[in-house]
Amino acid sequence: MRTLLRLFGVLLLLGIVAAGALAWWGHRWLQTPIATLTEPTVFEVPKGASLRTVASALNDQSLLDQPLIFTAWARITKRDHSLKAGEYQLTPGLTPSGLLELLNSGAVLLHSITFIEGSTFADIRKALAQSPSVRGEYAARSPEDIMRALGQPDLHPEGQFFPDTYRFARNTTDIELLGMAFRRMQQEVKTAWESRARDLPLAGPYEALILASIVEKETALDSERPQIAGVFVERLRRGMRLQTDPTVIYGMMSAYDGNIRRTDLLRDTPYNTYTRSGLPPTPIALPGLDSLRAAVNPESSGALFFVATGNGDGSHYFSRTLAEHNAAVKRYLQKLRSKR
């Protein structure tokens, strides 16, 4: 009996020692950098994936050689049900313990997409469709469906999305990104309108957005935007037609081939500001912040006309009278001919 008790004691002691050694080794393994992680590696945790599935995938990619210890440690520390889906950047020096912390942090790898100032709604839809990181939930839906999903079923989509670079996790949907840009534009328009100059010939924020989109398309120079806006505001005050080519081009849609002909200027569309007075019915592009600010705080110089200088820097010459404008146009045409 004593012999059996001694044997049992020895076995128990050996078990305790072995368990302690295993715990010590496991702890050391958890704190040792992953040897196979020799360069930055992207690992994705699928949405809804279990800890066991993730550990197995890490093992399959040679990023984790002890998946059982990894899962056991996650359960002990109560982090086995809190993995966050998404892509993670694994860098050399990362330990298994640090890896578990990372996958629980939600610090996912971010991608980016840029909506360019002056682009159209069709342009940004194309950019979303071409991004491999965006899930095209609304790629085949109509513009009306998109605006309905954004809570604005009666609003025309043109000009309603703020041009900027947006960062997002892989598999973010197109409608989510459009929602970000839409809310940003609403806020920027609201802020700009609240700081507007007095006595503007604009009925409200939407007309300011329309004017800003025209300003955006008329010049690439931020310094000129208040002057361009000033010309159009002065024309609106005097009841003159805006006579701006970008609105004509927008109204031509797919018929535009890179050139505007006299027949195009005479062909009436809702966007032809040569044949119709006032602003066009909707914006014609995505205006940037400088154009929004210029539209509500235009420069009051009294200028009614502008034409390119032909200096190669995108600048324009501004005139108060038609005679002065015609002379500026003549100089511009002479410069064009001299460069041929």
Side-chain angles (χ1 to χ4, degrees):
M1 186 67 176
R2 289 181 179 179
T3 302
L4 287 174
L5 288 173
R6 287 191 186 121
L7 180 59
F8 177 76
V10 169
L11 290 174
L12 181 61
L13 181 60
L14 288 174
I16 293 171
V17 170
L22 182 61
W24 174 83
W25 180 83
H27 180 75
R28 184 177 179 183
W29 176 81
L30 286 166
Q31 303 304 322
T32 301
I34 300 169
T36 53
L37 191 58
T38 57
E39 59 184 22
T41 302
V42 175
F43 177 77
E44 183 176 5
V45 176
K47 190 173 182 178
S50 66
L51 173 65
R52 180 178 296 180
T53 300
V54 170
S56 177
L58 287 164
N59 180 249
D60 291 342
Q61 296 180 38
S62 300
L63 295 171
L64 195 69
D65 59 354
Q66 298 295 334
L68 292 179
I69 295 178
F70 184 79
T71 53
W73 178 248
R75 292 190 178 106
I76 290 170
T77 56
K78 301 186 184 303
R79 289 182 288 182
D80 51 325
H81 294 298
S82 55
L83 299 183
K84 307 293 192 305
E87 292 179 308
Y88 292 86
Q89 179 92 348
L90 313 187
T91 56
L94 185 68
T95 65
S97 177
L99 173 59
L100 179 60
E101 184 176 345
L102 177 63
L103 301 186
N104 276 266
S105 70
V108 297
L109 185 65
L110 296 180
H111 300 263
S112 65
I113 191 167
T114 300
F115 298 154
I116 302 170
E117 294 175 352
S119 60
T120 63
F121 181 59
D123 293 330
I124 64 173
R125 292 198 72 181
K126 184 177 180 181
L128 288 166
Q130 291 178 342
S131 172
S133 305
V134 176
R135 182 153 56 88
E137 189 173 285
Y138 273 68
R141 305 287 286 273
S142 70
E144 292 76 16
D145 286 340
I146 289 173
M147 297 312 294
R148 192 175 297 111
L150 295 176
Q152 298 289 339
D154 299 321
L155 186 62
H156 193 284
E158 197 65 81
Q160 296 295 334
F161 304 90
F162 191 76
D164 202 352
T165 296
Y166 295 89
R167 295 176 63 78
F168 60 95
R170 179 180 288 277
N171 289 324
T172 296
T173 65
D174 48 5
I175 197 67
E176 288 174 313
L177 287 165
L178 287 170
M180 292 180 201
F182 176 72
R183 289 187 293 274
R184 175 79 184 281
M185 182 60 88
Q186 285 190 311
Q187 183 57 53
E188 295 295 355
V189 171
K190 179 177 181 292
T191 300
W193 184 250
E194 289 172 349
S195 63
R196 69 189 180 279
R198 293 182 179 182
D199 302 323
L200 286 177
L202 302 173
Y206 189 65
E207 287 199 352
L209 181 62
I210 295 173
L211 178 57
S213 74
I214 297 172
V215 172
E216 185 68 51
K217 296 299 289 185
E218 280 286 9
T219 182
L221 301 180
D222 290 340
S223 60
E224 282 194 347
R225 298 191 194 282
Q227 292 173 279
I228 297 285
V231 169
F232 292 131
V233 165
E234 190 65 28
R235 281 177 163 259
L236 288 170
R237 283 196 177 113
R238 298 192 185 196
M240 297 173 65
R241 290 176 180 172
L242 298 185
Q243 296 184 327
T244 170
D245 292 353
T247 62
V248 176
I249 292 170
Y250 186 83
M252 291 171 65
M253 303 179 70
S254 59
Y256 179 63
D257 61 3
N259 295 301
I260 298 182
R261 300 165 181 83
R262 182 172 178 78
T263 54
D264 298 320
L265 298 179
L266 296 174
R267 185 178 297 109
D268 184 52
T269 76
Y271 292 89
N272 190 337
T273 51
Y274 285 83
T275 61
R276 299 197 183 193
S277 299
L279 293 164
T282 74
I284 60 171
L286 306 183
L289 197 55
D290 288 316
S291 292
L292 282 171
R293 290 171 175 169
V296 296
N297 284 285
E299 184 175 308
S300 300
S301 66
L304 288 169
F305 309 92
F306 61 89
V307 67
T309 61
N311 293 336
D313 58 358
S315 62
H316 294 81
Y317 184 86
F318 294 82
S319 307
R320 291 189 176 194
T321 67
L322 182 58
E324 185 184 3
H325 176 62
N326 288 338
V329 171
K330 184 177 179 181
R331 289 195 300 272
Y332 171 65
L333 294 175
Q334 287 173 341
K335 283 187 179 181
L336 283 185
R337 285 192 290 268
S338 67
K339 292 177 181 178
R340 291 176 181 172

